[in-house]
């Protein structure tokens, strides 16, 4: 069976069409996303956050929240924080949380959690799994719909991460 790769509107549809919940496990400490290159550079140069930063994502989160759907992330964290993680914590996550996304932090610096995967993924409605595949430098390779996923495994990973997490509170 050849992989089903998702891009463009086909990928965006997952965020419009899920009915109950969307969960993301973020395991990498650095993501090298071309769409973020300029804002990461500005953050590292200590520029002011641009007006309306991440507004499109915030609209998506609010639309889902307002229709009773939940969006949750669990971010694996290792200290010292990478420059990218500092960018997330200062510029990205606070706005996402204000829009209605539940953002949980799993600090594995001093307490590794056996059983957590090294794979980023989204789990939609506890039935659909999409892997986010990255190179070691954090550059995304692709998004792959997992056909016939072992849902118990993904639900277990979700529950393990969330059971070890603390809610992001902006401090």
């Amino acid at each position: 069976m050849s992989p089903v790769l998702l891009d463009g509107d086909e990928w965006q549809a997952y965020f419009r069409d899920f009915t109950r919940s969307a969960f993301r496990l973020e395991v990498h400490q650095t993501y090298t996303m071309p769409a973020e290159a300029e804002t990461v550079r500005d953050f590292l140069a200590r520029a002011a956050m641009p007006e309306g930063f991440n507004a499109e994502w915030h609209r998506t989160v609010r639309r889902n929240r307002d229709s009773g759907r939940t969006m949750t992330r669990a971010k694996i964290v290792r200290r010292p924080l990478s420059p990218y993680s500092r960018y997330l914590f200062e510029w990205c996550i606070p706005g996402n949380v204000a829009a209605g996304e539940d953002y949980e932090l799993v600090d594995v610096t001093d307490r590794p959690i056996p059983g957590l995967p090294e794979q980023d993924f989204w789990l939609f409605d506890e039935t659909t799994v999409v892997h986010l595949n990255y190179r070691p430098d954090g550059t995304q390779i692709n998004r792959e719909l997992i056909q016939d996923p072992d849902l118990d495994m993904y639900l277990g990973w979700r529950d393990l991460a969330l059971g070890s997490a603390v809610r992001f509170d902006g401090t």
Side-chain angles (χ1 to χ4, degrees), residues 98-119:
E101 192 171 9
D102 178 18
Y103 219 104
E104 303 285 330
L105 304 176
V106 183
D107 188 344
V108 298
T109 305
D110 297 323
R111 60 176 191 119
I113 300 170
L116 281 178
E118 297 285 326
Q119 176 67 54

Side-chain angles (χ1 to χ4, degrees), residues 52-66:
F53 176 73
N54 221 7
E56 186 176 335
W57 180 250
H58 297 158
R59 279 190 294 277
T60 297
V61 172
R62 278 192 297 276
R63 182 178 59 248
N64 288 324
R65 178 202 61 204
D66 292 349

Side-chain angles (χ1 to χ4, degrees), residues 25-28 117-121 131-134 154 157:
L25 181 66
E26 296 180 349
V27 301
H28 297 281
E118 297 285 326
Q119 176 67 54
D120 277 54
F121 65 88
H131 280 188
L132 300 134
N133 298 312
Y134 295 91
Y154 289 95
W157 286 340

Side-chain angles (χ1 to χ4, degrees), residues 83-144:
Y84 186 87
S85 288
R86 289 191 349 263
Y87 161 75
L88 283 179
F89 292 163
E90 292 181 39
W91 277 26
C92 301
I93 300 172
N96 295 358
V97 169
E101 192 171 9
D102 178 18
Y103 219 104
E104 303 285 330
L105 304 176
V106 183
D107 188 344
V108 298
T109 305
D110 297 323
R111 60 176 191 119
I113 300 170
L116 281 178
E118 297 285 326
Q119 176 67 54
D120 277 54
F121 65 88
W122 277 99
L123 174 64
F124 297 97
D125 293 327
E126 300 184 349
T127 60
T128 303
V129 176
V130 177
H131 280 188
L132 300 134
N133 298 312
Y134 295 91
R135 292 187 180 93
D137 72 351
T139 302
Q140 190 172 74
I141 299 168
N142 58 35
R143 292 176 289 271
E144 179 183 359

